[in-house]
Amino acid sequence: MLWRLFTSRQGYQFSLWLLTLIALSVMLSFVSQRVSPVNLSDYYHFQCDMRNTQSDNPRFRFLAVSSFNVDRIAQRLCQSPAMAKYYSGVTISWKPRWLLSPTEVLSENYDLIWSRENALRGLVPGYNHYYQLLMAFDNYKVYWFSKGPTPLLEQRYFDNKRVGILTDRLSQTHHLLPLMSLKDANIHLADHQLIAFDDARNLYQAFAKGEVDLITGGDWLQREVDAPISGLLISDKVNAASLFIRKNHPQEIDCALLDVLGMYQETLLNTHIQSANNSHCNAS
């Protein structure tokens, strides 16, 4: 009988041998297939190439704090004749500011850095040997924003509210100010009520989709969210960040940079630009 064969000792050994042979065959079939490595895209940078420029020219590297408008800014810089004389392309990257290392400043890894003077000075006390101010922004306003009625700085109002912040611990607008505002009002949130995002754009999208109930931001948020929102002012004198450029750079590109980077003033900060020693560019 066939069933006796599989229940006998010899049958058991034959079955074990057969299963081993099948497993080896399957493994060999996988080994014989050549799988191409998966190239993961870098979601933390955007780049473009210049036209009619020398390929051995370096790339212009800009460290921003957000992905906001980086595609438009990079494309406009890549279309600039002044930039094309010295660079083969533009790369704009963004990451939490606390990830910028002293070595990157000392090595001048970036041609342009979005930061605050106190942050750079704390990182490298002699940073001004390597970088100088290109443009600064005046103070701006920051609010608590809700898609419902005007927020209230009361414990009962914040109960069960989901609050979006950034992981960037140096972000005044999206990390420090909201936490300070809650602390000053003696409002306590459970851990699950604070939802952290790596990038401001993701924070804004989560707010627009209703994945978080409250976030902080400036006047620009009205344009980012396609829905009625209401705000409660936190501060009207928040010090905006500045743009610092490598001291060893072609002066001819200053006007092009000021013109293109003024986009931050127009669409993001809604404040006044102060340029450093570039009055000949007629920046306002």
Side-chain angles (χ1 to χ4, degrees):
M1 297 289 293
L2 186 61
W3 65 271
R4 290 182 178 178
L5 174 63
F6 287 101
T7 56
S8 65
R9 181 170 181 175
Q10 292 82 0
Y12 171 77
Q13 291 176 341
F14 173 78
S15 300
L16 186 63
W17 173 83
L18 183 61
L19 289 173
T20 303
L21 181 63
I22 293 173
L24 286 173
S25 300
V26 173
M27 291 175 61
L28 288 173
S29 68
F30 277 110
V31 172
S32 63
Q33 298 177 26
R34 294 189 176 183
V35 180
S36 301
V38 178
N39 295 319
L40 299 178
S41 60
D42 186 350
Y43 292 102
Y44 298 98
H45 85 260
F46 182 90
Q47 63 183 27
C48 58
D49 297 320
M50 306 287 190
R51 294 182 178 179
N52 304 320
T53 186
Q54 297 183 22
S55 58
D56 56 348
N57 282 347
R59 299 189 67 83
F60 185 83
R61 298 151 300 175
F62 173 23
L63 177 62
V65 296
S66 168
S67 61
F68 186 81
N69 266 349
V70 295
D71 49 349
R72 292 175 59 196
I73 289 172
Q75 294 290 356
R76 284 184 58 180
L77 288 176
C78 278
Q79 294 168 4
S80 166
M83 296 290 292
K85 289 178 62 176
Y86 302 97
Y87 301 98
S88 60
V90 173
T91 298
I92 304 180
S93 55
W94 55 93
K95 60 184 179 182
R97 276 163 286 200
W98 53 272
L99 289 179
L100 178 65
S101 69
T103 302
E104 289 178 304
V105 176
L106 292 171
S107 301
E108 300 178 62
N109 284 11
Y110 300 100
D111 297 281
L112 190 68
I113 297 177
W114 177 299
S115 185
R116 289 185 172 87
E117 183 178 4
N118 61 338
L120 273 184
R121 192 177 300 280
L123 202 62
V124 178
Y127 81 90
N128 53 352
H129 294 296
Y130 314 100
Y131 289 89
Q132 64 187 33
L133 180 68
L134 175 70
M135 61 194 306
F137 302 94
D138 285 340
N139 297 330
Y140 64 100
K141 298 177 182 179
V142 173
Y143 307 81
W144 277 110
F145 281 112
S146 166
K147 292 175 70 177
T150 302
L152 301 173
L153 274 178
E154 299 175 357
Q155 181 67 54
R156 289 183 58 185
Y157 174 83
F158 275 84
D159 285 344
N160 301 318
K161 291 289 195 304
R162 298 163 299 173
V163 177
I165 62 173
L166 286 187
T167 56
D168 184 353
R169 296 190 296 261
L170 294 179
S171 171
Q172 289 196 82
T173 305
H174 301 303
H175 189 96
L176 294 174
L177 277 175
L179 296 183
M180 291 171 60
S181 173
L182 295 174
K183 180 178 176 61
D184 292 344
N186 199 29
I187 295 172
H188 303 280
L189 301 182
D191 290 342
H192 69 273
Q193 289 181 263
L194 276 176
I195 303 175
F197 298 84
D198 290 333
D199 181 73
R201 176 168 290 179
N202 293 329
L203 174 66
Y204 301 158
Q205 289 176 348
F207 177 64
K209 294 177 181 177
E211 297 171 0
V212 293
D213 303 303
L214 293 161
I215 65 172
T216 51
D219 292 318
W220 64 85
L221 195 64
Q222 300 277 355
R223 297 185 295 271
E224 287 297 295
V225 180
D226 187 20
I229 60 175
S230 49
L232 174 68
L233 183 66
I234 298 177
S235 175
D236 60 355
K237 294 183 179 180
V238 181
N239 179 251
S242 303
L243 294 168
F244 296 88
I245 193 166
R246 289 177 60 235
K247 296 187 76 170
N248 184 22
H249 76 279
Q251 302 296 314
E252 193 175 342
I253 69 171
D254 286 350
C255 298
L257 289 172
L258 287 170
D259 177 57
V260 174
L261 295 169
M263 188 180 300
Y264 281 121
Q265 184 270 340
E266 297 168 3
T267 59
L268 182 60
L269 293 176
N270 192 26
T271 185
H272 184 264
I273 292 178
Q274 300 178 32
S275 58
N277 301 320
N278 293 294
S279 57
H280 60 287
C281 297
N282 296 319
S284 58

